[in-house]
PDB file of all heavy atoms in Angstrom:
ATOM      1  N   LYS A   4     -48.176  40.930  34.078  1.00 37.00           N
ATOM      2  CA  LYS A   4     -47.133  41.131  35.077  1.00 37.00           C
ATOM      3  C   LYS A   4     -45.751  40.998  34.369  1.00 37.00           C
ATOM      4  O   LYS A   4     -44.836  41.817  34.537  1.00 37.00           O
ATOM      5  CB  LYS A   4     -47.248  40.066  36.149  1.00 37.00           C
ATOM      6  CG  LYS A   4     -46.285  40.280  37.202  1.00 37.00           C
ATOM      7  CD  LYS A   4     -46.726  41.538  37.944  1.00 37.00           C
ATOM      8  CE  LYS A   4     -45.779  41.710  39.049  1.00 37.00           C
ATOM      9  NZ  LYS A   4     -46.365  42.643  39.995  1.00 37.00           N
ATOM     10  N   ALA A 187     -64.185  64.952  53.035  1.00 97.00           N
ATOM     11  CA  ALA A 187     -64.066  66.366  53.027  1.00 97.00           C
ATOM     12  C   ALA A 187     -62.813  66.804  52.282  1.00 97.00           C
ATOM     13  O   ALA A 187     -61.972  66.005  52.084  1.00 97.00           O
ATOM     14  CB  ALA A 187     -64.112  67.048  54.382  1.00 97.00           C
ATOM     15  N   ASP A 200     -68.551  66.297  52.378  1.00 96.00           N
ATOM     16  CA  ASP A 200     -69.435  65.545  51.520  1.00 96.00           C
ATOM     17  C   ASP A 200     -70.757  65.322  52.198  1.00 96.00           C
ATOM     18  O   ASP A 200     -70.851  64.686  53.251  1.00 96.00           O
ATOM     19  CB  ASP A 200     -68.704  64.165  51.306  1.00 96.00           C
ATOM     20  CG  ASP A 200     -69.501  63.282  50.366  1.00 96.00           C
ATOM     21  OD1 ASP A 200     -70.656  63.670  49.946  1.00 96.00           O
ATOM     22  OD2 ASP A 200     -68.894  62.256  49.924  1.00 96.00           O
ATOM     23  N   TYR A 246     -55.795  60.510  57.427  1.00 95.00           N
ATOM     24  CA  TYR A 246     -56.925  59.558  57.656  1.00 95.00           C
ATOM     25  C   TYR A 246     -57.755  60.008  58.850  1.00 95.00           C
ATOM     26  O   TYR A 246     -57.232  60.575  59.817  1.00 95.00           O
ATOM     27  CB  TYR A 246     -56.371  58.214  57.885  1.00 95.00           C
ATOM     28  CG  TYR A 246     -55.535  57.700  56.663  1.00 95.00           C
ATOM     29  CD1 TYR A 246     -54.139  57.870  56.631  1.00 95.00           C
ATOM     30  CD2 TYR A 246     -56.236  57.192  55.598  1.00 95.00           C
ATOM     31  CE1 TYR A 246     -53.448  57.429  55.553  1.00 95.00           C
ATOM     32  CE2 TYR A 246     -55.505  56.717  54.448  1.00 95.00           C
ATOM     33  CZ  TYR A 246     -54.090  56.911  54.397  1.00 95.00           C
ATOM     34  OH  TYR A 246     -53.422  56.484  53.286  1.00 95.00           O
ATOM     35  N   TYR A 266     -47.219  81.343  60.175  1.00 86.00           N
ATOM     36  CA  TYR A 266     -47.754  82.621  60.726  1.00 86.00           C
ATOM     37  C   TYR A 266     -46.821  83.372  61.743  1.00 86.00           C
ATOM     38  O   TYR A 266     -46.722  84.665  61.592  1.00 86.00           O
ATOM     39  CB  TYR A 266     -49.106  82.392  61.392  1.00 86.00           C
ATOM     40  CG  TYR A 266     -50.191  82.041  60.386  1.00 86.00           C
ATOM     41  CD1 TYR A 266     -50.443  80.688  60.043  1.00 86.00           C
ATOM     42  CD2 TYR A 266     -50.897  83.027  59.805  1.00 86.00           C
ATOM     43  CE1 TYR A 266     -51.336  80.428  59.108  1.00 86.00           C
ATOM     44  CE2 TYR A 266     -51.830  82.744  58.818  1.00 86.00           C
ATOM     45  CZ  TYR A 266     -52.132  81.391  58.488  1.00 86.00           C
ATOM     46  OH  TYR A 266     -53.067  81.102  57.567  1.00 86.00           O
ATOM     47  N   ILE A 320     -53.912  93.136  27.395  1.00 96.00           N
ATOM     48  CA  ILE A 320     -54.365  92.229  28.504  1.00 96.00           C
ATOM     49  C   ILE A 320     -53.550  92.532  29.700  1.00 96.00           C
ATOM     50  O   ILE A 320     -52.251  92.343  29.654  1.00 96.00           O
ATOM     51  CB  ILE A 320     -54.242  90.786  27.981  1.00 96.00           C
ATOM     52  CG1 ILE A 320     -55.000  90.483  26.747  1.00 96.00           C
ATOM     53  CG2 ILE A 320     -54.788  89.849  29.135  1.00 96.00           C
ATOM     54  CD1 ILE A 320     -54.583  89.313  25.959  1.00 96.00           C
ATOM     55  N   ARG A 350     -49.404 104.860  40.318  1.00 91.00           N
ATOM     56  CA  ARG A 350     -48.885 105.631  41.442  1.00 91.00           C
ATOM     57  C   ARG A 350     -50.011 106.538  41.997  1.00 91.00           C
ATOM     58  O   ARG A 350     -50.744 107.038  41.202  1.00 91.00           O
ATOM     59  CB  ARG A 350     -47.751 106.545  40.950  1.00 91.00           C
ATOM     60  CG  ARG A 350     -46.480 105.658  40.585  1.00 91.00           C
ATOM     61  CD  ARG A 350     -45.286 106.504  40.315  1.00 91.00           C
ATOM     62  NE  ARG A 350     -44.149 105.638  39.997  1.00 91.00           N
ATOM     63  CZ  ARG A 350     -43.338 105.189  40.853  1.00 91.00           C
ATOM     64  NH1 ARG A 350     -43.531 105.352  42.191  1.00 91.00           N
ATOM     65  NH2 ARG A 350     -42.356 104.376  40.471  1.00 91.00           N
ATOM     66  N   GLY A 375     -62.361  97.445  48.587  1.00 92.00           N
ATOM     67  CA  GLY A 375     -63.355  97.681  49.658  1.00 92.00           C
ATOM     68  C   GLY A 375     -64.521  98.539  48.992  1.00 92.00           C
ATOM     69  O   GLY A 375     -64.962  98.197  47.923  1.00 92.00           O
ATOM     70  N   ILE A 398     -74.397 101.730  44.507  1.00 92.00           N
ATOM     71  CA  ILE A 398     -74.286 100.375  45.164  1.00 92.00           C
ATOM     72  C   ILE A 398     -74.616 100.545  46.579  1.00 92.00           C
ATOM     73  O   ILE A 398     -74.053 101.474  47.258  1.00 92.00           O
ATOM     74  CB  ILE A 398     -72.852  99.809  44.986  1.00 92.00           C
ATOM     75  CG1 ILE A 398     -72.485  99.676  43.511  1.00 92.00           C
ATOM     76  CG2 ILE A 398     -72.611  98.529  45.710  1.00 92.00           C
ATOM     77  CD1 ILE A 398     -73.015  98.451  42.820  1.00 92.00           C
ATOM     78  N   ASP A 400     -74.916 100.505  50.577  1.00 90.00           N
ATOM     79  CA  ASP A 400     -73.885 100.522  51.636  1.00 90.00           C
ATOM     80  C   ASP A 400     -73.501  99.143  52.172  1.00 90.00           C
ATOM     81  O   ASP A 400     -72.352  98.995  52.620  1.00 90.00           O
ATOM     82  CB  ASP A 400     -74.362 101.364  52.799  1.00 90.00           C
ATOM     83  CG  ASP A 400     -74.373 102.832  52.473  1.00 90.00           C
ATOM     84  OD1 ASP A 400     -73.705 103.211  51.502  1.00 90.00           O
ATOM     85  OD2 ASP A 400     -74.871 103.627  53.237  1.00 90.00           O
ATOM     86  N   VAL A 408     -65.798  93.898  37.825  1.00 96.00           N
ATOM     87  CA  VAL A 408     -66.530  94.958  37.086  1.00 96.00           C
ATOM     88  C   VAL A 408     -66.071  94.870  35.661  1.00 96.00           C
ATOM     89  O   VAL A 408     -64.891  94.754  35.391  1.00 96.00           O
ATOM     90  CB  VAL A 408     -66.220  96.422  37.676  1.00 96.00           C
ATOM     91  CG1 VAL A 408     -66.931  97.361  36.858  1.00 96.00           C
ATOM     92  CG2 VAL A 408     -66.686  96.450  39.180  1.00 96.00           C
ATOM     93  N   ASP A 429     -75.712 102.211  33.640  1.00 94.00           N
ATOM     94  CA  ASP A 429     -75.686 102.831  32.342  1.00 94.00           C
ATOM     95  C   ASP A 429     -74.822 104.144  32.467  1.00 94.00           C
ATOM     96  O   ASP A 429     -75.153 105.145  33.066  1.00 94.00           O
ATOM     97  CB  ASP A 429     -77.150 103.215  32.012  1.00 94.00           C
ATOM     98  CG  ASP A 429     -77.216 103.830  30.599  1.00 94.00           C
ATOM     99  OD1 ASP A 429     -76.232 104.348  30.109  1.00 94.00           O
ATOM    100  OD2 ASP A 429     -78.315 103.652  29.951  1.00 94.00           O
ATOM    101  N   ARG A 447     -75.801  81.596  32.563  1.00 80.00           N
ATOM    102  CA  ARG A 447     -75.744  80.117  32.675  1.00 80.00           C
ATOM    103  C   ARG A 447     -74.387  79.575  32.339  1.00 80.00           C
ATOM    104  O   ARG A 447     -73.662  80.079  31.443  1.00 80.00           O
ATOM    105  CB  ARG A 447     -76.794  79.577  31.723  1.00 80.00           C
ATOM    106  CG  ARG A 447     -78.235  79.781  32.277  1.00 80.00           C
ATOM    107  CD  ARG A 447     -79.197  79.249  31.359  1.00 80.00           C
ATOM    108  NE  ARG A 447     -79.326  80.010  30.164  1.00 80.00           N
ATOM    109  CZ  ARG A 447     -79.857  79.602  28.955  1.00 80.00           C
ATOM    110  NH1 ARG A 447     -80.417  78.431  28.890  1.00 80.00           N
ATOM    111  NH2 ARG A 447     -79.881  80.423  27.917  1.00 80.00           N
ATOM    112  N   ALA A 456     -63.769  89.306  34.434  1.00 94.00           N
ATOM    113  CA  ALA A 456     -64.616  89.242  33.164  1.00 94.00           C
ATOM    114  C   ALA A 456     -64.009  90.235  32.214  1.00 94.00           C
ATOM    115  O   ALA A 456     -63.773  91.352  32.609  1.00 94.00           O
ATOM    116  CB  ALA A 456     -66.052  89.517  33.529  1.00 94.00           C
ATOM    117  N   ASP A 462     -65.397  89.139  22.132  1.00 86.00           N
ATOM    118  CA  ASP A 462     -65.856  88.088  22.934  1.00 86.00           C
ATOM    119  C   ASP A 462     -65.785  88.380  24.430  1.00 86.00           C
ATOM    120  O   ASP A 462     -64.858  89.029  24.860  1.00 86.00           O
ATOM    121  CB  ASP A 462     -65.172  86.755  22.670  1.00 86.00           C
ATOM    122  CG  ASP A 462     -65.659  86.033  21.373  1.00 86.00           C
ATOM    123  OD1 ASP A 462     -66.902  86.063  21.071  1.00 86.00           O
ATOM    124  OD2 ASP A 462     -64.748  85.576  20.625  1.00 86.00           O
TER     125      ASP A 462
END
Side-chain angles (χ1 to χ4, degrees):
K4 185 70 178 193
D200 186 350
Y246 300 94
Y266 289 92
I320 304 158
R350 294 187 179 274
I398 297 282
D400 282 348
V408 177
D429 186 332
R447 286 178 292 163
D462 282 319

